[in-house]
Amino acid sequence: MTQLKQSKYYVNREISWLAFNNRVLEEARDTQNPLLERAKFLSITQKNMDEWFMVRVASLQQQVFVGHDRVDASGLLPKQQLKEISSAAGEQIRSQYQVLNRSIIPALKKHGFALQHSTDLNEDQIKFLKRFFDEELLPVLTPMAIDSTRPFPFLANDTLNIGVRLKKDDEKSEKHIAVLQVPETSGRVISLPESNQVILVEEVVQLFLDALFQGYTIKESTVFHILRDMELDVADDEDTPNILQEVQSKLQERERGRVIRVIVSANTSKTLMTKLIKALEVPDERVYDVNGAIDLTFIDAWLKLINAPSLEFSAFKGYEEQALAPDKMFDSIKKNDYLLHHPYDTFKPVVQFVQAAARDDDVLAIKMTLYRVSGNSPIIKALADAAQRGKQVTVLVEIKARFDEKNNVHWARELEQEGVHVVYGLRGLKVHAKVVLIVRREDDAIRRYVHLGTGNYNDVTANFYTDLGLFTSDSELGADVASIFNILTGYSDPLYFHQLHMSPDGIRDFIYDKITNEITNAKSGKTAGIKMKFNSLSDERMIRRLYEASEAGVPVELIVRGITMLRVGIPNVSENIAVHSIVGRFLEHSRIYSFDNDGDPEVYLSSADLMTRNLDRRVELFFPIRDHNLRQRVLTIFQTMWDDNVKTRILQPNGVFEKIDRRGLSAINAQEIFIAESLASQVEQQQREKEQHAQRDFEPINNPFTGEKA
């Protein structure tokens, strides 16, 4: 047996994450994508990287500060990881700006949408911007001098700032330094009148900066963007009396975390750069100078001002299953299980499931977990409505959901005020499971209706995240879900579940057992195989199990959107493992786990990825698809994605994901196939409705005596 713990068998987690973000960047380069979509992909890479710095890089920096000296699976100490990823991130940032300056901006300008610089403006535009500056910007700008009596000011996380080097008119030296935060009150992008031209607000501020420093000459100004350590270190142990108060307290502390990254304009002088970096106390290796607009998320604001549907993906709405209409929903689910594949199937039935339950007099109780919801969530409103109507409504709101903590605290408070029983997560664990339980009285009996999903109950992101969800009234699953809520909201420790598996205790061992079964089958000459789709693979022990399966001859097919620390093509270790990654129009978010089981496939869906946090430190659910037709549908979905040769990259033994050489092959774009199937189903449904309506119409017969229409 090969020693599978050797570091050479694993890729560093953060390097793998950067490789994923580079795959997103490739979509920004891809001229087969509509232009505005390419611009969106570029903006996404910036948002992705910002979050990665604020959490993952910050975590490594904290480990270095406290002297943590444990190596990761790839054999690197935290300090070594920081050095490698800081360099790799710099290369990716340079690539981002190459795409911006050489591709996106010139292409947009060719279509008549120009990003102007202050040197490009005509006289009328300068007059317009002077009025705008005086009326909108000047009243809110606050220049802050830096000297012996006025130390360097606190600059908030994720802010754009301007550093200024000045000379007093009656002095020879140029030693005066000031900073000011670019205001957000007027937006990042300013439309210029009677044109499709725009200018960034920081350029407007710099254009009229002398109005703020009368008696001084501005020798230089530069724009810079800072990110801080935004890890929320909540001590939710037995010594924490109130987890809600602890989260609220930590949210305030987090805003003052250490500076973790600075991006600054490349034309900044060494003098000004040195002063700024010293004051911000950020290591040199995490200061990146760029040629172009700082903070590429300005693209989002710019795109909102561009009306050019021909430069976007065609509008698409998912198929709506009529059997799941509110007036039919419970009767339909009582008879059959239903599988929804979002966004190709609309998310509406999930929302309507809660809304219908709120209005239904026979519904006694609604229980639900919430991890991330939209800013104006119809589900939140439905839960409040249900409580107001006297139903027992219990909601677990995970207030530790990263970067949604404030939003979730708000919704939890709102629900409480409406009479909902709210549980604020669990000590020591995040609740990432996605489940709704509806308890309904029918013919003097109690029936449980359940929705289980792979993604959040967020009606907005459901339009561009791919996820799978199951509606069922299966009695065993219903009993399991009821037990889950007893665990989450009270004190309960059931001896077993009928069908569900739950982390932190059950999912890891269950997957181990299934992998072991496939190994046994392969060694016995039976058919074997493992097919999995998830977002990330970073659990070292799970990777070792997959290596063991490969060693035993089990074919392992993995579709991994993001991180994968596994290496393929290692002789006698991973020769039977293939890894695909799809980055396309929709964010691949569904989790599928399938085991061949000697030709009788077992198929499961889950809220969990194969990450240590999901398997050991979160409440996740892993549930079977028992209906034969639905099971086959999930396998078909997987196979369609596996056959994709347009958006798929395949992991190579050297650790690089490469696109498929399509010469001589017909294009197979899985997401486009699913869209086409959804549209075809919608046409068929419209035709059926038309035919049903025609059958209800009647043609009056002729009066046999007069020959006239009756």
Side-chain angles (χ1 to χ4, degrees):
M1 178 69 72
T2 309
Q3 291 298 315
L4 297 176
K5 290 193 71 171
Q6 298 178 65
S7 60
K8 65 181 180 180
Y9 294 157
Y10 301 89
V11 176
N12 172 260
R13 182 196 191 282
E14 312 311 333
I15 292 297
S16 180
W17 183 89
L18 282 167
F20 156 66
N21 206 41
N22 194 58
R23 296 196 289 280
V24 181
L25 185 58
E26 286 176 0
E27 293 299 309
R29 290 193 189 97
D30 189 348
T31 56
Q32 297 301 306
N33 289 324
L35 176 57
L36 299 188
E37 306 297 343
R38 290 167 54 202
K40 289 176 189 175
F41 278 118
L42 180 57
S43 178
I44 289 169
T45 66
Q46 177 76 64
K47 286 178 278 194
N48 286 349
M49 188 179 281
D50 286 355
E51 183 173 330
W52 177 72
F53 264 101
M54 289 187 287
V55 176
R56 295 299 308 178
V57 178
S59 177
L60 284 171
Q61 181 172 272
Q62 288 175 6
Q63 291 177 46
V64 172
F65 285 149
V66 300
H68 183 76
D69 60 357
R70 184 177 175 182
V71 298
D72 74 329
S74 68
L76 296 176
L77 291 163
K79 190 172 185 178
Q80 293 171 315
Q81 292 183 64
L82 271 180
K83 184 176 180 180
E84 284 204 21
I85 65 178
S86 294
S87 174
E91 292 179 18
Q92 192 165 109
I93 290 170
R94 283 190 288 275
S95 296
Q96 287 175 317
Y97 278 83
Q98 286 177 352
V99 173
L100 176 73
N101 295 323
R102 299 180 187 178
S103 181
I104 302 298
I105 287 180
L108 283 168
K109 188 173 183 179
K110 188 176 178 181
H111 284 88
F113 305 105
L115 179 64
Q116 297 292 84
H117 297 292
S118 56
T119 53
D120 304 325
L121 301 171
N122 60 41
E123 189 175 337
D124 289 340
Q125 290 172 330
I126 292 175
K127 289 179 180 177
F128 165 79
L129 290 174
K130 181 64 168 70
R131 287 196 303 274
F132 180 85
F133 176 83
D134 290 340
E135 295 171 7
E136 298 287 335
L137 299 177
L138 187 58
V140 296
L141 284 167
T142 306
M144 294 172 284
I146 301 166
D147 54 33
S148 58
T149 61
R150 292 168 290 190
F152 197 87
F154 174 79
L155 302 177
N157 176 61
D158 195 18
T159 56
L160 209 59
N161 303 274
I162 296 175
V164 189
R165 186 164 58 88
L166 307 122
K167 173 185 175 298
K168 194 168 188 198
D169 291 346
D170 58 357
E171 294 178 355
K172 289 185 178 181
S173 66
E174 301 174 1
K175 64 181 179 180
H176 301 289
I177 302 292
V179 296
L180 62 156
Q181 184 173 318
V182 176
E184 299 176 356
T185 50
S186 301
R188 179 77 190 278
V189 178
I190 311 302
S191 291
L192 295 171
E194 300 178 6
S195 72
N196 284 324
Q197 299 175 349
V198 299
I199 189 169
L200 298 180
V201 67
E202 62 266 28
E203 288 223 29
V204 180
V205 174
Q206 287 178 290
L207 185 61
F208 304 108
L209 202 53
D210 54 355
L212 294 163
F213 300 100
Q214 297 180 23
Y216 288 78
T217 300
I218 295 171
K219 303 301 292 183
E220 175 188 3
S221 69
T222 191
V223 180
F224 63 98
H225 178 264
I226 70 166
L227 286 180
R228 293 183 177 274
D229 178 344
M230 296 296 279
E231 267 284 65
L232 195 72
D233 187 18
V234 178
D236 56 341
D237 52 29
E238 292 298 329
D239 296 327
T240 306
N242 187 309
I243 191 171
L244 178 62
Q245 291 178 2
E246 176 73 4
V247 168
Q248 290 175 313
S249 172
K250 290 296 183 180
L251 282 172
Q252 295 176 344
E253 288 181 25
R254 184 171 71 176
E255 295 301 320
R256 305 191 73 85
R258 293 175 180 270
V259 175
I260 195 69
R261 189 199 70 192
V262 174
I263 293 184
V264 65
S265 199
N267 58 10
T268 309
S269 70
K270 186 175 181 181
T271 300
L272 182 54
M273 178 85 81
T274 301
K275 288 184 178 293
L276 290 175
I277 300 314
K278 182 179 179 181
L280 291 169
E281 299 180 323
V282 62
D284 290 343
E285 63 267 22
R286 290 200 297 281
V287 178
Y288 304 97
D289 58 90
V290 299
N291 287 300
I294 309 295
D295 182 13
L296 298 179
T297 58
F298 82 88
I299 293 170
D300 290 340
W302 187 11
L303 294 183
K304 288 177 182 176
L305 303 175
I306 296 176
N307 182 21
S310 63
L311 300 180
E312 299 176 303
F313 288 128
S314 299
F316 168 72
K317 290 185 178 180
Y319 171 72
E320 187 172 349
E321 173 57 66
Q322 289 305 298
L324 295 176
D327 59 334
K328 304 175 185 176
M329 181 170 283
F330 293 120
D331 286 340
S332 297
I333 299 171
K334 187 192 305 183
K335 297 171 186 173
N336 298 295
D337 288 357
Y338 285 85
L339 182 80
L340 297 184
H341 186 199
H342 309 300
Y344 315 106
D345 294 319
T346 177
F347 193 71
K348 260 174 89 173
V350 181
V351 175
Q352 291 171 341
F353 186 54
V354 184
Q355 291 173 332
R359 295 189 296 265
D360 191 322
D361 292 337
D362 293 325
V363 168
L364 306 177
I366 302 172
K367 302 183 182 185
M368 187 173 190
T369 60
L370 291 176
Y371 192 77
R372 300 187 198 278
V373 295
S374 64
N376 190 28
S377 172
I379 287 177
I380 294 285
K381 293 175 184 173
L383 292 168
D385 181 37
Q388 289 293 304
R389 291 171 183 261
K391 302 182 191 306
Q392 290 291 314
V393 183
T394 305
V395 181
L396 187 146
V397 181
E398 181 46 78
I399 58 173
K400 302 187 295 294
R402 182 175 291 145
F403 296 126
D404 272 301
E405 299 96 345
K406 188 175 181 180
N407 190 46
N408 286 4
V409 167
H410 164 74
W411 284 126
R413 291 293 200 196
E414 289 282 315
L415 288 170
E416 275 190 327
Q417 290 176 8
E418 296 294 337
V420 174
H421 301 297
V422 177
V423 179
Y424 295 94
L426 299 177
R427 294 189 185 279
L429 299 170
K430 282 187 182 180
V431 179
H432 192 247
K434 328 293 183 183
V435 59
V436 183
L437 172 65
I438 307 295
V439 181
R440 193 169 188 258
R441 184 182 298 282
E442 298 176 0
D443 301 325
D444 296 325
I446 298 295
R447 186 180 295 272
R448 297 184 180 100
Y449 292 86
V450 172
H451 177 269
L452 289 155
T454 66
N456 296 309
Y457 290 111
N458 188 316
D459 57 295
V460 174
T461 58
N463 293 308
F464 49 89
Y465 281 28
T466 76
D467 271 304
L468 289 161
L470 176 71
F471 284 113
T472 184
S473 62
D474 181 285
S475 59
E476 290 187 345
L477 260 176
D480 284 351
V481 169
S483 295
I484 294 291
F485 277 105
N486 289 340
I487 294 169
L488 296 179
T489 63
Y491 293 104
S492 180
D493 188 12
L495 294 176
Y496 66 92
F497 295 114
H498 298 89
Q499 297 181 36
L500 282 181
H501 303 275
M502 181 177 77
S503 66
D505 297 320
I507 294 178
R508 178 187 292 279
D509 288 342
F510 183 73
I511 294 177
Y512 284 174
D513 288 345
K514 291 300 171 185
I515 293 174
T516 299
N517 186 58
E518 295 305 310
I519 291 171
T520 301
N521 286 344
K523 289 180 176 179
S524 302
K526 299 178 180 178
T527 60
I530 297 169
K531 300 177 189 289
M532 296 179 175
K533 177 183 182 292
F534 39 73
N535 300 324
S536 295
L537 173 59
S538 60
D539 183 80
E540 184 181 350
R541 287 183 287 162
M542 193 63 73
I543 292 171
R544 288 205 298 272
R545 291 296 178 117
L546 293 173
Y547 283 159
E548 289 169 7
S550 174
E551 281 185 313
V554 179
V556 179
E557 297 176 353
L558 306 177
I559 300 176
V560 189
R561 186 193 78 215
I563 298 163
T564 174
M565 290 169 50
L566 176 150
R567 292 187 183 275
V568 299
I570 304 172
N572 303 316
V573 173
S574 60
E575 291 173 308
N576 290 307
I577 301 177
V579 179
H580 291 191
S581 182
I582 293 178
V583 178
R585 171 177 179 171
F586 303 122
L587 181 80
E588 289 297 335
H589 194 253
S590 55
R591 287 97 166 188
I592 299 170
Y593 298 87
S594 172
F595 307 93
D596 186 80
N597 192 38
D598 191 23
D600 184 19
E602 296 179 331
V603 176
Y604 301 85
L605 304 180
S606 182
S607 57
D609 295 316
L610 295 189
M611 306 177 76
T612 304
R613 71 184 189 194
N614 297 99
L615 300 172
D616 297 344
R617 299 193 299 274
R618 287 187 173 186
V619 175
E620 307 273 11
L621 293 180
F622 195 92
F623 55 96
I625 302 298
R626 302 180 78 189
D627 179 275
H628 173 77
N629 292 331
L630 299 187
R631 189 163 62 238
Q632 190 55 50
R633 185 182 176 201
V634 174
L635 291 172
T636 300
I637 288 169
F638 184 96
Q639 192 60 47
T640 302
M641 300 197 71
W642 190 258
D643 292 339
D644 182 293
N645 59 20
V646 175
K647 294 300 182 182
T648 289
R649 281 87 167 169
I650 298 179
L651 182 61
Q652 306 299 314
N654 64 0
V656 176
F657 279 89
E658 293 184 358
K659 279 198 165 187
I660 296 170
D661 184 349
R662 289 207 339 257
R663 285 177 294 186
L665 300 175
S666 298
I668 301 173
N669 184 326
Q671 293 190 352
E672 292 298 326
I673 288 172
F674 295 139
I675 289 174
E677 290 174 349
S678 174
L679 293 174
S681 295
Q682 293 176 54
V683 170
E684 289 174 10
Q685 182 169 272
Q686 290 167 2
Q687 186 62 36
R688 285 195 302 271
E689 291 173 355
K690 204 171 181 181
E691 290 171 357
Q692 290 169 2
H693 183 73
Q695 289 170 6
R696 288 196 298 268
D697 290 341
F698 61 90
E699 180 71 21
I701 63 172
N702 291 341
N703 186 310
F705 301 103
T706 66
E708 297 177 353
K709 297 286 186 185

